[in-house]
Amino acid sequence: VKIWDVPKHLLTRNITTPKKELLGHARRVGLIEWHPTANNILFSSGYDYKIMIWNLDTVKAVISKPVKILDTHKDVVLSMSFNTDGSLLATACRDRKIRLIDPREGTILQVASYKSHRVNKVLFLGNMKKLFSTGTSRWNNRQIALWDQNDLSVPLLEEDLDGSSGLLFPFYDSDTHMLYIVGKGDGNIRYYEISHEKPYLNYLMEYRSPLPQKGIGMMPKRGLEVSACEIFRFYKLIPTKSLIEPISMIVPRRSESYQEDIYPLTTGTQPALTAQEWLNGVNKGPLLVSLRPGSAAVNSLPQILEPDPLMETTDLSQHEGQGGRMPLEDMQEPHEIEDSRKQLKVDEKLQKNGQMCLSNGFDIFQCPPPRTENELLQMFYRQQEEIRRLRELLKQRNVRIKQLELELRNHCMDTDDY
């Protein structure tokens, strides 16, 4: 296993030397998983049927001894999943069994050997104390199953999907309780809602595409576009066209304000525990952050510069309503016209100095060009918001011009009468 250090500004050159190298497995490594809350704790599983726990909190470049070896499987481990605080580990093995393991003690707590469900992938469903698995039935139909964490003898729910042969990959969003099932070789993505009560699994809809996926990845919640009400994003590998296609799951909302109900506090980037604390037996849930734009806890968004004081006092955006629209009665006041004239003078002055800024304080000269799709989308939505604001401003000014023309005409008719 090799650990690579990717710079914050992404790759500018090829990296040929790993940061750390882990030597322990006798055969090929098939799975690696980071601990969800502890810093620098890595789990690896290979074709030697062993799961090794590594502590990367060391200055050594080569680590030859793991801190713990879980030698409880009799065949290759196909899938690993942690609960929310990382105190429990669920595995799916080639012997078609699900094992619930205490990773620090190395003991098996429960085993699911339900013969009518041959498991391939297993997944913890957040804090719901349930496990979800995908596999095949006795008749080789693709199958899903839901298990009670405290009793793996019989599944709570078992359902056949279809007769295809591709593996099913489950993805769970604990913030919205949404479960996504992606099939290898399929072009569709099924999604469900998980509930605490029966029937537990509620089918919602299915995304369909004529292009099959060979593999699929996901964007962490911190990288989603909250202004577009995006709640999940996949990256679909399409080998027939040699491309990776982003697929966004979006909740249609008319309001452009931040939606608190679909964006609760989510897992942040900072670990909750040190590696040694977790090895000593401490359990702690993940540190949560808000996805609200401008929140101090969210550091994955591009840096937005503070607006100039003069711009801040004369910026028309301070008169906008919550939906980004300017009230008509505010535009009809004489002092607003003076403010707009001052705004135009400030813009002309900044153009001469070569420091043209957008009204939201985003400096296009000092910020680097977008490097990722998320940054590009954010700049695109900012531009759309600016265009929308300018169009509304132009519309309100046209209305004001017509009103002034009518007042002038009435005034002229009054003077003619005298």
Side-chain angles (χ1 to χ4, degrees):
V1 180
K2 294 184 179 181
I3 309 298
W4 303 86
D5 190 8
V6 179
K8 290 185 178 180
H9 301 290
L10 302 182
L11 295 176
T12 57
R13 58 182 177 84
N14 293 332
I15 300 177
T16 58
T17 304
K19 183 179 181 181
K20 292 183 185 298
E21 194 169 357
L22 313 180
L23 304 177
H25 287 282
R27 300 182 66 184
R28 179 163 62 96
V29 177
L31 291 174
I32 55 172
E33 289 285 345
W34 290 100
H35 192 275
T37 59
N39 190 29
N40 289 331
I41 292 291
L42 181 70
F43 285 64
S44 65
S45 175
Y47 280 70
D48 54 2
Y49 310 158
K50 297 179 181 179
I51 297 177
M52 297 187 179
I53 307 176
W54 305 87
N55 181 7
L56 305 185
D57 272 348
T58 176
V59 296
K60 297 180 180 179
V62 178
I63 304 176
S64 58
K65 291 184 179 181
V67 294
K68 187 75 176 180
I69 298 178
L70 306 181
D71 193 7
T72 57
H73 297 83
K74 305 302 180 183
D75 211 328
V76 179
V77 178
L78 302 176
S79 175
M80 293 190 297
S81 178
F82 291 96
N83 63 343
T84 303
D85 60 4
S87 60
L88 296 175
L89 174 67
T91 63
C93 187
R94 189 177 284 176
D95 60 6
R96 309 301 185 184
K97 295 181 180 180
I98 298 176
R99 291 174 173 86
L100 192 62
I101 303 172
D102 186 337
R104 281 173 294 213
E105 298 294 333
T107 56
I108 298 178
L109 303 179
Q110 288 195 60
V111 178
S113 56
Y114 194 63
K115 293 183 179 180
S116 64
H117 179 73
R118 296 178 291 182
V119 64
N120 287 320
K121 301 290 181 182
V122 66
L123 183 68
F124 260 105
L125 298 182
N127 288 324
M128 303 189 71
K129 294 186 177 181
K130 290 181 176 60
L131 292 172
F132 181 83
S133 64
T134 63
T136 56
S137 66
R138 292 179 179 178
W139 298 274
N140 288 329
N141 291 327
R142 293 199 297 188
Q143 193 179 63
I144 59 176
L146 188 67
W147 308 80
D148 185 355
Q149 175 182 315
N150 300 320
D151 183 11
L152 299 182
S153 59
V154 179
L156 297 173
L157 179 69
E158 189 179 10
E159 180 181 341
D160 289 359
L161 295 185
D162 52 40
S164 301
S165 59
L167 293 177
L168 294 174
F169 296 91
F171 296 88
Y172 180 65
D173 182 7
S174 58
D175 297 339
T176 58
H177 304 293
M178 292 282 293
L179 176 69
Y180 303 89
I181 301 177
V182 184
K184 185 177 181 180
D186 301 350
N188 57 348
I189 300 175
R190 300 177 177 91
Y191 39 102
Y192 303 77
E193 184 180 10
I194 303 294
S195 60
H196 290 277
E197 301 176 354
K198 291 183 179 181
Y200 304 115
L201 198 64
N202 301 308
Y203 175 78
L204 298 179
M205 203 173 288
E206 182 177 351
Y207 166 82
R208 294 180 178 272
S209 172
L211 300 175
Q213 59 254 2
K214 187 177 181 180
I216 200 161
M218 56 166 286
M219 168 68 73
K221 295 297 288 290
R222 301 178 302 275
L224 299 181
E225 183 56 53
V226 296
S227 61
C229 296
E230 183 183 29
I231 59 172
F232 214 83
R233 187 190 304 167
F234 292 101
Y235 288 94
K236 173 180 175 180
L237 176 61
I238 305 176
T240 57
K241 291 193 174 183
S242 300
L243 57 85
I244 297 177
E245 177 188 5
I247 301 174
S248 295
M249 301 295 174
I250 296 175
V251 178
R253 295 282 178 91
R254 290 187 177 182
S255 176
E256 298 175 0
S257 59
Y258 180 73
Q259 306 294 312
E260 295 276 358
D261 57 331
I262 60 176
Y263 295 115
L265 296 180
T266 189
T267 304
T269 57
Q270 300 298 324
L273 298 170
T274 64
Q276 196 57 47
E277 286 176 340
W278 182 79
L279 292 173
N280 292 337
V282 180
N283 293 324
K284 191 175 181 181
L287 300 180
L288 304 180
V289 297
S290 173
L291 295 181
R292 180 184 292 275
S295 176
V298 180
N299 53 12
S300 60
L301 298 176
Q303 183 179 4
I304 300 179
L305 301 178
E306 291 294 330
D308 185 81
L310 183 59
M311 289 284 291
E312 188 174 359
T313 57
T314 59
D315 193 353
L316 289 178
S317 62
Q318 62 184 342
H319 304 291
E320 294 180 0
Q322 293 182 354
R325 298 183 179 275
M326 192 170 295
L328 179 61
E329 59 272 15
D330 291 344
M331 282 299 299
Q332 294 178 352
E333 296 296 331
H335 66 84
E336 297 293 340
I337 302 177
E338 296 180 2
D339 288 345
S340 62
R341 291 174 182 173
K342 292 180 181 180
Q343 175 70 32
L344 293 176
K345 291 181 181 179
V346 171
D347 290 343
E348 293 175 358
K349 183 177 180 180
L350 291 176
Q351 285 180 355
K352 292 180 182 179
N353 295 334
Q355 298 178 351
M356 182 60 182
C357 296
L358 298 181
S359 64
N360 56 5
F362 184 74
D363 195 331
I364 61 176
F365 290 99
Q366 295 188 15
C367 289
R371 298 175 181 269
T372 63
E373 180 201 359
N374 185 33
E375 293 182 5
L376 182 62
L377 283 173
Q378 287 175 353
M379 293 192 69
F380 170 75
Y381 288 123
R382 286 194 184 97
Q383 289 179 351
Q384 292 297 314
E385 181 64 26
E386 181 70 12
I387 292 172
R388 190 183 302 113
R389 191 189 71 86
L390 291 175
R391 284 177 178 172
E392 189 66 26
L393 178 62
L394 182 61
K395 185 188 299 184
Q396 299 293 347
R397 287 182 175 178
N398 290 336
V399 172
R400 182 58 180 165
I401 289 174
K402 291 181 180 180
Q403 290 177 349
L404 291 175
E405 289 177 351
L406 290 175
E407 291 178 3
L408 181 61
R409 186 180 303 174
N410 294 334
H411 181 71
C412 293
M413 291 177 65
D414 292 340
T415 53
D416 291 342
D417 292 340
Y418 286 113

